Amino acid sequence: MTLNQPPTPHLAAEDPDVARLVEAEAQRQQDTIRLIASENYVSAAVLEATGSVFTNKYSEGYAGKRYYEGQQLVDPLEELAIARAKAVFGAEHVNVQPYSGSPANLAIYLAVLKPGETVLGMGLPSGGHLTHGWSVSATGKWFNAVHYGVRKETGRVDLDEVRDLALRERPKLIFCGGTAVPRTIDFAGFAAIAKEVGAVLAADVAHIAGLIAGGAHPSPVGHADIISTTTHKTLRGPRGAMLMSTEEWAKPLDKAVFPGLQGGPHNHTTAAIAVALKEAATPEFSAYAHQIVANASALADALLERGFDLVSGGTDNHLILADLSPKGIGGKPAAKALDRAGIELNYNTVPFDPRKPFDPSGIRIGTAAVTTRGLGTAEMPLIADFIDRAVAAEGDEPALDAIAAEVRALLASFPVPA
Ligand SMILES: *Cc1c(COP(=O)(O)O)cnc(C)c1O
């Protein structure tokens, strides 16, 4: 069977312990239905770029203004990645150096705020990210963070509430976007509020960047001053991040990333980001992005038919948040049972969750990785059925193992891209 992992003969000879783990992980990724909303399978080309000799090079600074010699090939590489990002997203300015999504967001704080100034972001329990000012994050400790949530009746952001909060708290920075938001983000609505209160609007599109690139979600370009994204979720690139902005924020953001927060960029990651962005510009990628949404919609319908309670009643994007309270089970035992049954996802708080964050009421489901494998709307009821049966069979290990065998049989027809 083909695995999404090139052969590693040198690794196997030099370090069989690590080689064994790599091979077993490739097999595990083949054998499970991966519904973790932030994960995907990158192409073999992206993997090769990530494993390239650009990992050997230091290049603090930006193209044409580096602090080390030997940049003859790094400069064109970084400029290529930037040009491709501009073409895919239509942004005026792009920085591809942030190490990951969290450092990218920190750079926004450094560019826009002074310590103690006010940021308005979505609360973590409602679907926001830690770096949107949550208390345990540096962004919550060093800045005055206030939070909006979702309406209890609808499970959706209420822009009237966001506006009231913004008028009362006068934030200098507003974040929209999140990690568990199943509905379309109204960038224009957020932009109007930011403009009214004189705040900078940052759109964190880490989860939906691939949908935006493929035309399956509206773009924040033209609405948000600053856009932050990881490159490894629906965008299907290497682990990394990008910041995009209007020309006005170009210099402050570049300075915040380097020398403000980081040293040398990870050039092997830059290479792989460039490859992922070339892929993201193709008609095949657009079809993939639309298929992710169609699959999530079909999976949501199939779960609703089986008595699942979905936050906001469904989904507009790649993500489904299910409240398991009606099933009489917590998110954590359900996620563990599903993992045993070969279905990988994460337990998650739901808005207004009465349970504790380490054992919340919900599970989060995403369709990017299964879409990359070629599963379509026809397979989504099968997945819903596996989920329903595994949740009901919690604690019954033979039953869960039997489901895992059925999962492997289904996936044999959908090899990972190699
Ligand atoms: C994943 C994510 C991040 C953080 O990305 P890391 O690469 O894990 O640091 C930030 N914001 C949002 C909305 C995310 O979903």
Side-chain angles (χ1 to χ4, degrees), residues 11 29 37 47 56 63 90-91 110 112 114 161 185 192 211 215 222 250 282 288 294 404 409:
L11 184 61
Q29 291 186 11
L47 264 188
N56 297 334
L110 187 58
V112 178
K114 292 191 178 57
E161 184 212 11
I185 298 165
L211 305 184
T282 60
Y288 145 82

Side-chain angles (χ1 to χ4, degrees), residues 247-326:
E247 209 44 63
E248 182 189 352
W249 288 99
K251 270 222 167 67
L253 283 173
D254 282 356
K255 277 190 176 161
V257 172
F258 176 84
L261 283 170
Q262 299 188 168
H266 294 178
N267 298 314
H268 57 302
T269 299
T270 304
I273 289 175
V275 176
L277 288 167
K278 180 171 186 186
E279 293 173 359
T282 60
E284 291 75 21
F285 191 91
S286 175
Y288 145 82
H290 286 90
Q291 189 64 47
I292 289 175
V293 176
N295 282 350
S297 174
L299 183 55
D301 288 345
L303 288 168
L304 288 168
E305 275 168 28
R306 287 161 181 79
F308 283 83
D309 178 12
L310 306 186
V311 172
S312 83
T315 178
D316 297 327
N317 54 28
H318 66 303
L319 189 144
I320 297 164
L321 199 54
D323 182 347
L324 296 179
S325 310

Side-chain angles (χ1 to χ4, degrees), residues 100-103 105 129 131-132 177-179 204 206-207 230 232-233 239-240:
S100 211
S102 303
N105 284 350
H129 191 258
T131 55
H132 299 178
T179 62
D204 182 349
H207 263 265
T230 55
H232 48 270
K233 298 179 182 175
R239 300 198 85 88

